[in-house]
């Protein structure tokens, strides 16, 4: 039930945009996004509960397409502080526990 | 700001020894989770507590792992005996929501990095 994230890694210059994708083979109840910096605990970014819903956290937003069981995280005008590993976590109907993807490592360079 | 506390932060042990990790969730959070995170991978749920009761321990290797939350507050995760493959980061998280599916944000502690030699 582990979701699949892509790409595995992305390198950006400050101000550039990036998209991280998360997909599941199961019908999803919700999608959770976390960011983890090296040696630190994962930090919650946002939860998406409804189809087509979009949310934002600073200049980071996400969408959830429940028909395709996919979510995308959008990093807009990236800042150095956006560097880290982004994990999507998915909750499947009738299971209700959070399963994390393998993560996408984002490196933002000056 | 309230935080999830974990100790120790680092633990080095030899295989076949016993180890224990402690977690103190954010005050008032009924739900507590233990995750294992292998380097380069996402966290994997080991056990979920609702107050003092185990809600899900399907991924917990019960022949060597045990977890308890006796008074529904802090929790201990034990491994006995430790094996080389247990080397990982052990993360504790807590949530005020009773079910993950309700959209409850999980607050993670700093983790315990275990190295088994």
């Amino acid at each position: 039930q582990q979701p699949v994230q892509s790409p595995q890694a992305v390198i950006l210059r400050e101000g550039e945009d990036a998209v991280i994708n998360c997909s599941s083979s199961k019908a999803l109840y919700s999608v959770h996004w976390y960011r983890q910096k090296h040696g630190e605990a994962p930090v919650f970014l946002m939860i998406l509960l409804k189809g087509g819903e979009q949310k934002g956290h600073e200049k980071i937003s996400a969408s959830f397409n429940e028909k395709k069981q996919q979510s995308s995280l959008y990093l807009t005008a990236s800042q150095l502080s956006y560097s880290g590993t982004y994990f999507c976590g998915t909750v499947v109907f009738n299971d209700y526990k959070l399963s994390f993807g393998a993560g996408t490592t984002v490196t933002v360079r000056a | 700001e309230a935080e999830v506390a974990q100790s120790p932060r680092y633990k080095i042990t030899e295989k076949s020894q016993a180890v224990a990790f402690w977690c103190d969730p954010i005050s008032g959070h009924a739900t507590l989770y233990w995750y294992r995170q292998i380097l380069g991978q996402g966290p994997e749920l080991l056990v979920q507590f609702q107050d003092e009761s185990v809600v899900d321990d399907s991924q917990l290797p019960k022949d060597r792992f045990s977890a308890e939350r006796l008074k529904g507050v802090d929790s201990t995760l034990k491994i006995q005996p430790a094996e080389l493959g247990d080397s990982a980061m052990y993360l504790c998280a807590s949530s005020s929501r009773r079910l993950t599916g309700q959209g409850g944000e999980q607050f993670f502690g700093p983790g315990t990095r275990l190295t088994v030699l």
Side-chain angles (χ1 to χ4, degrees):
Chain A
Q1 292 182 356
Q2 184 181 29
V4 177
Q5 284 187 240
S6 64
Q8 285 186 319
V10 60
I11 299 175
L12 303 166
R13 290 198 179 275
E14 266 189 302
E16 291 183 339
D17 302 339
V19 180
I20 300 170
N21 298 304
C22 174
S23 64
S24 172
S25 59
K26 303 271 186 179
L28 296 178
Y29 181 87
S30 61
V31 179
H32 306 220
W33 287 96
Y34 285 79
R35 178 173 64 203
Q36 184 176 31
K37 293 184 180 285
H38 184 69
E40 299 180 8
V43 174
F44 170 81
L45 293 176
M46 65 193 79
I47 292 175
L48 299 108
L49 296 171
K50 299 177 183 177
E53 182 181 25
Q54 264 191 293
K55 283 195 173 182
H57 173 82
E58 299 173 342
K59 290 186 178 180
I60 300 173
S61 62
S63 62
F64 176 24
N65 187 326
E66 65 179 347
K67 289 184 180 179
K68 293 185 177 181
Q69 313 309 329
Q70 291 177 351
S71 178
S72 295
L73 187 74
Y74 306 94
L75 306 182
T76 305
S78 58
Q79 306 169 14
L80 295 176
S81 63
Y82 287 3
S83 292
T85 300
Y86 290 76
F87 293 99
C88 74
T90 55
V91 178
V92 176
F93 278 103
N94 299 321
D95 190 359
Y96 301 112
K97 66 183 176 189
L98 194 58
S99 295
F100 285 95
T104 296
T105 300
V106 173
T107 304
V108 181
R109 294 178 176 169
Chain B
E1 186 174 304
E3 295 179 341
V4 176
Q6 288 188 249
S7 66
R9 293 292 307 278
Y10 304 91
K11 179 69 177 179
I12 299 174
T13 191
E14 294 185 347
K15 64 179 181 179
S16 79
Q17 296 297 306
V19 292
F21 314 130
W22 177 79
C23 170
D24 191 12
I26 292 173
S27 178
H29 280 193
T31 309
L32 184 147
Y33 309 84
W34 282 102
Y35 289 89
R36 176 172 58 189
Q37 185 176 25
I38 295 170
L39 195 62
Q41 298 182 20
E44 174 195 12
L45 180 68
L46 292 176
V47 61
Q48 177 182 343
F49 288 92
Q50 192 64 52
D51 300 310
E52 67 278 4
S53 300
V54 173
V55 174
D56 187 337
D57 64 356
S58 57
Q59 299 292 97
L60 189 71
K62 299 182 187 63
D63 58 334
R64 297 185 299 108
F65 286 64
S66 63
E68 60 183 15
R69 193 184 184 199
L70 292 176
K71 296 182 179 180
V73 182
D74 59 339
S75 176
T76 302
L77 179 69
K78 297 179 181 177
I79 308 175
Q80 183 174 18
E83 296 181 353
L84 295 177
D86 295 333
S87 294
M89 175 75 84
Y90 289 83
L91 293 163
C92 178
S94 71
S95 174
S96 60
R97 298 291 189 101
R98 293 191 168 270
L99 289 175
T100 302
Q102 291 177 344
E105 171 185 355
Q106 294 186 24
F107 295 84
F108 283 83
T112 296
R113 180 163 295 285
L114 173 67
T115 301
V116 182
L117 302 174

